C-alpha cells in the first residue's frame, strides 16, 4: 500500500472548486471586471507613465483575472454540466469585451509607447521583451481602428469566443450521445478484459443486457486497434469521424457546419480590418515563422521526403492484409503488422505500463535532467476524486511550482489531452505567485481487477503534456504575460512537449517504467528493443497525416474567399489530393470535430506541431551527442529554452542552445525517413 501523501498547508491562490457556484459566476466576474476597468482607467492617468507604475500594476491585474477565470474555464472542460455551461457561456461576452477594450485602449497604448521610449536604457531584458510583445498585441488587438471598424472588430471577437465554445459543446455532446450496445459476444473478440468488463458493468447500470460501449477516446482507439469484428470497427470509425456533423447517426443534432463557416468568415473579416490579407497572415504576425512561403516550404519539404516511405508502408500494409483496406481497417491491420514485424502491440504492452510506475519514472527523468523533486500532496480541493496534486521542489526542498493531474476518461469531460495554466508565475515587488498547472489526459481508469494501465502511446502523451507542464512550471520569468508558455510563439510552444516524448523511447527510461503490474517482471530486453525499433514504424504515413491536417488548416485560412465562403471540404479534398495516401470515405467529417483549429489555439497554426517537431528533434540531438542525461546539456536547455518563457525570441534561444539554426535533418533521421 502506498503511504499517505503529506497535506499541503492552505494555499491562497489555489481554487476551491467545490465553492464555485454557477449561479454566482456571472455576477462575480462582472464585479471583478468592473473593478479592473476602474483601476485601468486610473493607471492611464498616471504621469509620467513608468514601467513600475503602469506596466507592473497591469501585470498584477491580468494575473488576478487569469487565476479567477481559470478554474471556471477548466471545470467547463473536465466536469461540464448544464448550469456550468450556461454560466461559462454567459461570461464569454464579458471577457471578450474586456479584452477588446484593453487591447484598443489608446491611452494605455500611448503610455506603453512612452515607457518603451523613455526607459529603454534602464529596462531589464525581460521588461523590454514584455513591452515589445505588449505593443505588438495592442496593434493586433485593433488599437489603431477607429469608429465603426473598432466596434465591428470588438463584435467579431465577441462572436468568435461564443462560436468556439459552441463548437466544443457540439463535439462533447455528440461524443456523449453515442452508445453502442453489443449483445453478441463475438463482436467483442480481440478487446481487452478491462474494456469488456467496464462495458458489461455499464450495461448492468443502465438496466440492459449485454455490453454498452461509449465513444470515449480510449474505447475508440482500442476498438479501432484491437476489435476483430469489422462491423464494430466500422461503426465506431463512423461515429467518431461524424461527430458534430450533418452525416452522423444523431441526424445532425449537433451539427457544426454553420459554426465552422461563421468562425472562418469572422476570422477573415477581423484580419482584413487590421490590414491583413487573410487570417493566416494575421496569425503569422505573432509566430516564429514569418511568412506563408516559409510555412509552406517546410510542409512541402517534409511531404516530399515522407511520401516515398509512406507509399511503401501502405503497399506493405495492403499486402499484409491481402486486400484493399477500408478506413476502419487501417489501424487494426497496422497493429497486427507491427506485431508481426516487432512482436509487440499496444494492448500487449499495456500490462507493463502501469500509471503509477510511469509517473515515478517520468518524475525521475525530470529530477535527473533539471534537479527537481516531485511529491504528491493531499488536502487540496479537487474537482474529482481521481485528480492528484503535486508539488515541484528544487534541490533545496523549496517549492517551485504545483500541478494537478487528471488522468482518466469519464463522462462530461472533453476528450484529448492538454496542459493549461491554473496560476502563472509572478514576482513583482512583494507580490509573488508560484506557477500551478493542470495536466489532463484521457486514459482508461482502473478496474475492479487491475490498476490503471497505459499503452505506450498513452505514455508518450503523458510525457508530452508533462513537457508543457515543465515549460509552465520551471519558468524563471517574473512577469505573467511572458512567463511559462505565455508570450511564446505558438509554433515554438510544442518544443518542450515533443522534446520530453523522446525520453519515453529511451531504453534506460523504459527499464524503469516498463514493469508488469501483476508479476513485477521488467519488460524483457528483447521486447524493449523491439519497442524502440518500432518507433519508425509507418513514420511516413504518420508524417503525411499530420501534414494533411497542417496544410488543410493553413490553406483554409490563407485561401479564404468571402465570395466562395468556407469551402471546408473543397479545401480538404485539394490537400488530400496533394499529400494523402489513405483516402477516407466521402462521409468522413473530420473537420467538424477538429477542435484544435476551430476552438483551440491552432487556427492557421496546426503546422506548429511539425515546426516544433523539427526544433525538438534537433534539440534532442544534442542530448544524443553528449548523453541523454548529460548535466551540462540539460542545464543549457533549461537556461536557453525551458526557463525563458516568452522573454526572448525563440530562434535566438534555440541558437544559444544548439549553436546554430535548426534543420529538418534530425527529424527525418529520427523518423527513419532519411538515413
Amino acid at each position: 500500500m502506498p503511504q499517505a501523501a503529506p497535506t499541503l498547508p492552505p494555499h491562497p491562490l489555489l481554487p476551491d472548486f467545490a465553492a464555485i457556484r454557477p449561479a454566482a459566476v456571472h455576477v462575480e466576474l462582472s464585479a471583478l471586471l468592473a473593478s479592473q476597468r476602474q483601476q485601468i482607467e486610473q493607471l492611464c492617468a498616471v504621469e509620467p507613465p513608468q514601467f513600475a507604475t503602469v506596466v507592473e500594476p497591469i501585470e498584477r491585474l491580468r494575473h488576478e483575472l487569469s487565476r479567477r477565470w481559470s478554474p471556471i474555464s477548466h471545470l467547463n472542460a473536465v466536469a461540464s454540466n448544464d448550469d456550468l455551461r450556461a454560466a461559462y457561456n454567459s461570461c464569454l461576452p464579458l471577457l471578450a469585451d474586456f479584452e477588446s477594450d484593453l487591447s484598443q485602449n489608446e491611452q494605455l497604448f500611448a503610455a506603453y509607447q512612452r515607457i518603451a521610449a523613455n526607459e529603454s536604457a534602464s529596462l531589464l531584458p525581460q521588461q523590454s521583451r514584455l513591452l515589445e510583445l505588449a505593443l505588438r498585441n495592442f496593434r493586433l488587438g485593433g488599437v489603431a481602428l477607429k469608429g465603426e471598424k473598432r466596434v465591428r472588430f470588438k463584435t467579431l471577437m465577441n462572436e468568435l469566443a461564443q462560436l468556439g465554445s459552441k463548437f466544443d459543446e457540439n463535439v462533447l455532446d455528440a461524443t456523449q450521445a453515442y452508445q453502442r450496445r453489443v449483445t453478441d459476444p463475438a463482436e467483442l473478440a480481440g478487446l481487452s478484459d478491462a474494456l469488456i468488463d467496464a462495458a458489461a458493468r455499464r450495461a448492468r447500470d443502465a438496466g440492459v443486457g449485454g455490453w454498452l460501449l461509449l465513444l470515449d477516446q480510449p474505447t475508440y482507439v482500442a476498438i479501432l486497434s484491437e476489435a476483430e469484428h469489422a462491423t464494430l470497427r466500422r461503426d465506431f470509425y463512423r461515429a467518431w469521424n461524424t461527430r458534430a456533423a450533418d452525416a452522423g447517426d444523431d441526424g445532425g443534432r449537433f451539427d457544426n457546419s454553420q459554426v465552422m463557416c461563421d468562425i472562418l468568415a469572422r476570422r477573415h473579416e477581423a484580419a482584413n480590418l487590421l490590414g491583413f490579407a487573410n487570417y493566416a497572415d494575421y496569425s503569422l504576425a505573432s509566430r516564429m515563422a514569418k511568412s506563408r512561403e516559409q510555412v509552406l516550404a517546410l510542409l512541402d519539404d517534409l511531404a516530399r521526403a515522407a511520401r516515398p516511405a509512406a507509399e511503401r508502408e501502405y503497399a506493405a500494409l495492403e499486402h499484409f492484409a491481402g486486400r484493399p483496406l477500408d478506413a476502419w481497417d487501417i489501424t487494426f491491420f497496422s497493429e497486427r503488422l507491427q506485431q508481426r514485424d516487432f512482436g509487440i502491440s499496444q494492448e500487449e504492452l499495456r500490462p507493463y505500463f502501469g500509471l503509477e510506475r510511469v509517473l515515478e519514472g517520468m518524475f525521475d527523468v525530470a529530477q535527473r535532467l533539471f534537479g527537481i523533486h516531485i511529491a504528491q500532496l493531499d488536502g487540496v480541493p479537487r474537482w474529482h476524486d481521481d485528480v492528484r496534486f503535486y508539488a515541484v521542489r528544487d534541490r533545496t526542498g523549496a517549492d517551485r511550482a504545483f500541478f494537478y493531474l487528471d488522468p482518466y476518461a469519464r463522462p462530461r469531460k472533453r476528450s484529448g489531452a492538454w496542459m493549461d495554466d491554473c496560476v502563472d508565475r509572478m514576482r513583482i515587488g512583494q507580490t509573488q505567485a508560484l506557477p500551478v498547472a493542470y495536466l489532463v489526459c484521457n486514459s482508461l481508469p482502473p478496474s475492479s481487477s487491475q490498476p490503471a494501465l497505459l499503452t505506450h502511446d498513452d505514455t508518450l502523451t503523458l510525457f508530452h503534456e508533462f513537457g508543457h507542464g515543465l515549460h509552465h512550471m520551471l519558468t524563471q520569468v517574473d512577469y505573467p504575460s511572458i512567463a511559462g508558455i505565455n508570450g511564446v510563439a505558438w509554433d515554438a510552444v510544442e518544443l518542450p512537449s515533443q522534446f520530453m516524448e523522446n525520453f519515453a523511447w529511451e531504453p534506460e527510461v523504459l527499464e524503469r517504467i516498463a514493469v508488469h503490474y501483476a508479476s513485477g517482471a521488467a519488460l524483457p530486453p528483447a521486447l524493449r528493443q523491439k519497442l524502440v525499433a518500432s518507433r519508425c514504424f509507418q513514420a511516413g504515413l504518420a508524417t503525411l497525416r499530420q501534414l494533411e491536417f497542417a496544410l488543410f488548416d493553413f490553406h483554409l485560412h490563407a485561401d479564404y474567399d468571402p465570395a466562395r465562403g468556407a469551402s471546408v471540404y473543397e479545401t480538404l479534398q485539394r490537400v488530400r489530393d496533394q499529400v494523402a495516401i489513405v483516402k477516407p470515405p466521402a462521409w468522413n467529417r473530420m473537420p467538424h470535430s477538429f477542435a484544435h483549429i476551430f476552438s483551440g489555439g491552432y487556427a492557421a497554426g496546426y503546422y506548429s506541431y511539425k515546426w516544433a517537431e523539427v526544433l525538438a528533434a534537433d534539440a534532442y540531438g544534442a542530448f544524443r551527442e553528449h548523453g541523454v542525461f548529460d548535466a551540462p546539456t540539460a542545464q543549457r536547455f533549461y537556461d536557453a529554452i525551458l526557463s525563458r518563457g516568452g522573454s526572448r525570441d525563440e530562434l535566438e534561444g534555440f541558437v544559444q542552445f544548439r549553436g546554430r539554426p535548426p534543420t529538418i535533418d534530425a527529424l527525418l533521421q529520427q523518423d527513419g525517413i532519411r538515413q
Side-chain angles (χ1 to χ4, degrees), residues 362-375 391-401 403 466 469-471 473-474 476 500 638 642:
M362 185 173 72
F363 297 161
D364 180 64
V365 168
Q367 182 174 5
R368 295 177 67 181
L369 289 172
F370 308 118
I372 58 174
H373 174 69
I374 298 173
V392 179
R393 293 170 175 153
D394 64 19
R395 290 183 174 91
T396 71
D399 289 334
R400 286 282 304 273
F403 67 95
F466 187 58
L470 291 175
H471 199 187
M473 295 185 289
L474 298 188
Q476 288 294 288
M500 283 301 296
Y638 172 82
L642 204 58

Side-chain angles (χ1 to χ4, degrees), residues 168-190:
D168 274 342
E169 289 173 7
N170 284 340
V171 175
L172 177 60
D173 290 346
T175 304
Q176 299 288 334
Y178 183 82
Q179 293 184 343
R180 172 67 152 77
R181 185 181 172 208
V182 174
T183 57
D184 182 358
E187 285 196 85
L188 302 175

Side-chain angles (χ1 to χ4, degrees), residues 537-604:
F537 178 71
Q538 294 187 345
L541 285 170
T543 298
L544 289 191
R545 181 67 167 153
Q546 285 297 100
L547 293 174
E548 177 185 320
F549 291 152
L551 286 164
F552 164 65
D553 162 54
F554 202 75
H555 283 298
L556 197 64
H557 291 92
D559 302 341
Y560 184 86
D561 180 355
R564 292 189 296 113
S567 303
V568 172
Y569 284 92
E570 293 89 336
T571 302
L572 182 57
Q573 188 58 52
R574 190 168 69 250
V575 168
R576 283 175 172 164
D577 289 343
Q578 176 188 350
V579 299
I581 301 294
V582 179
K583 300 296 175 63
W587 44 258
N588 180 289
R589 295 291 187 271
M590 177 275 293
H592 281 73
S593 58
F594 198 179
H596 276 78
I597 70 168
F598 286 110
S599 58
Y602 287 86

Side-chain angles (χ1 to χ4, degrees), residues 173-230:
D173 290 346
T175 304
Q176 299 288 334
Y178 183 82
Q179 293 184 343
R180 172 67 152 77
R181 185 181 172 208
V182 174
T183 57
D184 182 358
E187 285 196 85
L188 302 175
L191 299 179
S192 68
D193 291 341
L195 187 62
I196 294 171
D197 290 346
R201 185 168 60 252
R202 194 176 299 114
R204 287 195 301 271
D205 292 344
V208 298
W211 300 264
L212 201 58
L213 295 166
L214 303 183
L215 197 58
D216 58 82
Q217 191 167 4
T219 300
Y220 169 72
V221 171
I223 287 174
L224 267 289
S225 303
E226 301 297 330
E228 297 173 8
H229 203 277

